[in-house]
Amino acid sequence: MNTLPATEKKRRIALAQNAKLLVLSTLPIEDDTEMGLMMGYKGFLLRVDFSFLHPLIVITFLAELEYPVLPKSLQLLNSLNQQCVLGCAAVNTEANVFSYRAASWLDTELTKRRFHEMLDRCYDEAYRAHSQLSRSLK
């Protein structure tokens, strides 16, 4: 990162800062931290984080699982991850929490339309994986 010219560092930071402002103005944010934003979203806890020098936007969906995770369910999760092109799903077995995470480079200014497209596609992947995993736990 030290090899980047100062103008490029500033450009990248501005892209991420503008993306965060766009998300703040688009969704009903419940918590705003230095790195990211959190809110409820269609039955999930949604966390949107930003990496200012890369620049990245990271979308994470979290949901508690109703039943304990079994080893066979973790195999299903691996299979689902092999089919997913946007991000990956994981389970915290101690907390019994499902998560789906996707990171995207911010090469240009993020628009509201593009953000919603990213959010909708990530939600679809998270919902599909969470639903299949939840069914396998019953």
Side-chain angles (χ1 to χ4, degrees):
M1 193 52 84
N2 289 333
T3 60
L4 288 176
T7 55
E8 178 59 16
K9 286 180 188 178
K10 286 179 184 177
R11 186 187 77 80
R12 290 178 180 200
I13 290 169
L15 283 171
Q17 287 174 331
N18 290 339
K20 184 176 181 181
L21 290 173
L22 179 128
V23 174
L24 275 167
S25 69
T26 302
L27 296 174
I29 306 304
E30 296 172 16
D31 192 18
D32 180 358
T33 66
E34 186 176 314
M35 292 298 293
L37 310 166
M38 289 195 298
M39 74 238 50
Y41 188 84
K42 297 182 180 182
F44 287 91
L45 175 64
L46 170 62
R47 183 176 170 116
V48 182
D49 295 299
F50 304 89
S51 171
F52 293 101
L53 287 179
H54 289 98
L56 296 171
I57 182 172
V58 181
I59 297 173
T60 305
F61 287 94
L62 301 151
E64 206 171 330
L65 293 167
E66 191 174 345
Y67 300 101
V69 177
L70 305 170
K72 69 176 183 168
S73 299
L74 294 176
Q75 292 172 351
L76 170 64
L77 199 57
N78 286 338
S79 176
L80 290 170
N81 280 331
Q82 290 174 343
Q83 299 167 19
C84 182
V85 295
L86 297 176
C88 65
V91 172
N92 178 326
T93 54
E94 291 178 18
N96 214 42
V97 172
F98 165 86
S99 66
Y100 174 86
R101 183 177 178 189
S104 296
W105 285 101
L106 294 170
D107 292 337
T108 61
E109 271 310 309
L110 185 63
T111 64
K112 192 178 278 195
R113 180 174 179 225
R114 179 68 178 131
F115 172 68
H116 278 290
E117 179 185 352
M118 293 164 62
L119 186 61
D120 289 345
R121 288 184 179 182
C122 289
Y123 171 79
D124 290 345
E125 292 276 351
Y127 180 82
R128 182 177 59 81
H130 181 264
S131 296
Q132 288 184 23
L133 182 62
S134 293
R135 282 194 302 272
S136 79
L137 298 175
K138 292 182 181 180

